Amino acid sequence: MPRPKPVVFGLYSWTPDYGYRYIHPANRRSFEWLEPVGKVFEKIDETDDWISLRYDEQQFLVSPELFKELYQKPAFSFGDQVRTAAPPLHQGLISDVYFHEATDTFRFQLVEKKRKLKQVFELDELVGE
């Protein structure tokens, strides 16, 4: 039985200024709305022409040219249950994962009681459940 592929994390720093040839036509509008710069994607599949990226519950087909693999893995990923380490206390699910290239650090946003918190948290501000 073949072993499952390990999850590959990476960045896809596309903006509309690059043009739309990098994004599969079926995904253009939703990918543009996502505003992908700085967000961490999971690469889940690839063909000769396209790679399939996942962000939270969405999947996108994009050109492999702009994908930049991250060799470190985030401590938390989409849907992980976490809480804040210090007051004010929040508890929820990871909804967004960001990577700050200048500092090589991950940052996270939460959904608490079906509402996305505006605050973006550093790793040391969160504890896994």
Side-chain angles (χ1 to χ4, degrees):
M1 182 170 195
R3 300 176 79 174
K5 293 181 187 176
V7 176
V8 174
F9 293 93
L11 302 174
Y12 203 81
S13 298
W14 174 87
T15 67
D17 296 337
Y18 281 96
Y20 291 96
R21 72 178 186 88
Y22 296 98
I23 313 302
H24 190 278
N27 298 138
R28 286 181 180 157
R29 175 106 31 201
S30 56
F31 198 73
E32 188 173 9
W33 286 339
L34 180 65
E35 297 178 356
V37 174
K39 293 184 177 179
V40 177
F41 292 87
E42 296 175 357
K43 182 170 96 172
I44 55 176
D45 199 10
E46 59 186 300
T47 64
D48 290 338
D49 298 328
W50 302 101
I51 59 174
S52 182
L53 299 180
R54 182 173 91 93
Y55 191 82
D56 195 13
E57 295 178 355
Q58 297 179 294
Q59 289 186 22
F60 305 97
L61 287 174
V62 297
S63 168
E65 293 175 63
L66 298 178
F67 184 75
K68 178 182 174 188
E69 184 174 344
L70 296 173
Y71 295 101
Q72 65 227 47
K73 293 184 178 184
F76 304 112
S77 193
F78 308 109
D80 287 353
Q81 181 79 35
V82 296
R83 63 177 170 80
T84 53
L89 296 177
H90 294 284
Q91 183 174 345
L93 302 175
I94 299 292
S95 65
D96 292 274
V97 181
Y98 303 97
F99 185 72
H100 190 266
E101 289 189 80
T103 59
D104 275 351
T105 57
F106 291 96
R107 300 171 72 209
F108 307 91
Q109 201 164 10
L110 308 179
V111 169
E112 181 180 51
K113 298 178 184 172
K114 298 183 181 182
R115 298 188 77 176
K116 186 179 283 196
L117 300 178
K118 290 182 181 181
Q119 183 176 355
V120 176
F121 297 91
E122 303 290 335
L123 176 59
D124 62 355
E125 296 177 297
L126 298 174
V127 176
E129 291 281 297

